[in-house]
Amino acid sequence: MTLSYSDVAEIVKIVDSSNCDEVSLELEGAKILIRRKGASDPAPAQVSAAPAPVAAAAPAAASPAPESAAPADSAAAPVSGNQVVAPMVGTYYSRPSPEEAEFVTVGAQVEVGTPLCIIEVMKLFTTIESTRAGTVKAILATDGQMVEYGQPLFVID
């Protein structure tokens, strides 16, 4: 049995909405250990399963954020528009690999389904796609940054 993205996301949501500090789940060939911040052992969440595909390999080091990006902690005035939010907690990556170009930049025209970024959760890489057509007005996360569930990542108008 393999775990799909939706299976892992549902497990994380359940842990997030519960009073549990730790959940350990072992299935055929996969073991998941999820710990909340502040739990007795500060070890990060882990999964032991088949390695991720080479095409979705994690960047070796976080690359500097492009000057066109507007990080969430920036002192700039908030940008209004339709936000694309993180559907999970994980590490935000703006490009498929360190050698490749960013998925999108500020000012880019996107259609529904256009890849915007990747979020890595426990070595599972999920491509976040645009839910609407329009122009990218702002990028609110920086490459390699941990993002929270519901955190705004992009503004698209």
Side-chain angles (χ1 to χ4, degrees):
M1 175 179 176
T2 59
L3 291 174
S4 68
Y5 157 74
S6 59
D7 295 333
V8 174
E10 189 64 29
I11 292 167
V12 171
K13 284 180 188 176
I14 291 168
V15 171
D16 190 42
S17 65
S18 73
N19 292 331
C20 295
D21 286 333
E22 179 177 310
V23 172
S24 179
L25 177 65
E26 196 163 338
L27 299 171
E28 302 165 12
K31 180 178 180 181
I32 298 176
L33 176 61
I34 302 172
R35 290 191 179 127
R36 285 180 182 259
K37 283 186 176 179
S40 61
D41 185 358
Q46 304 171 5
V47 68
S48 301
V54 175
S63 26
E67 290 183 24
S68 61
D73 58 11
S74 129
V79 179
S80 63
N82 298 294
Q83 295 181 342
V84 175
V85 299
M88 66 197 81
V89 174
T91 305
Y92 168 92
Y93 294 110
S94 62
R95 56 188 80 224
S97 74
E99 300 81 31
E100 295 186 47
E102 296 175 324
F103 287 107
V104 294
T105 58
V106 173
Q109 293 293 315
V110 295
E111 299 297 323
V112 173
T114 300
L116 300 173
C117 66
I118 293 174
I119 296 182
E120 175 194 2
V121 180
M122 302 183 302
K123 302 296 179 202
L124 178 66
F125 297 87
T126 303
T127 302
I128 308 305
E129 298 176 343
S130 178
T131 55
R132 65 180 304 112
T135 302
V136 177
K137 288 182 65 178
I139 300 174
L140 306 173
T142 57
D143 206 41
Q145 171 186 354
M146 285 297 295
V147 294
E148 298 291 328
Y149 173 79
Q151 177 180 337
L153 301 175
F154 298 91
V155 176
I156 299 176
D157 250 358

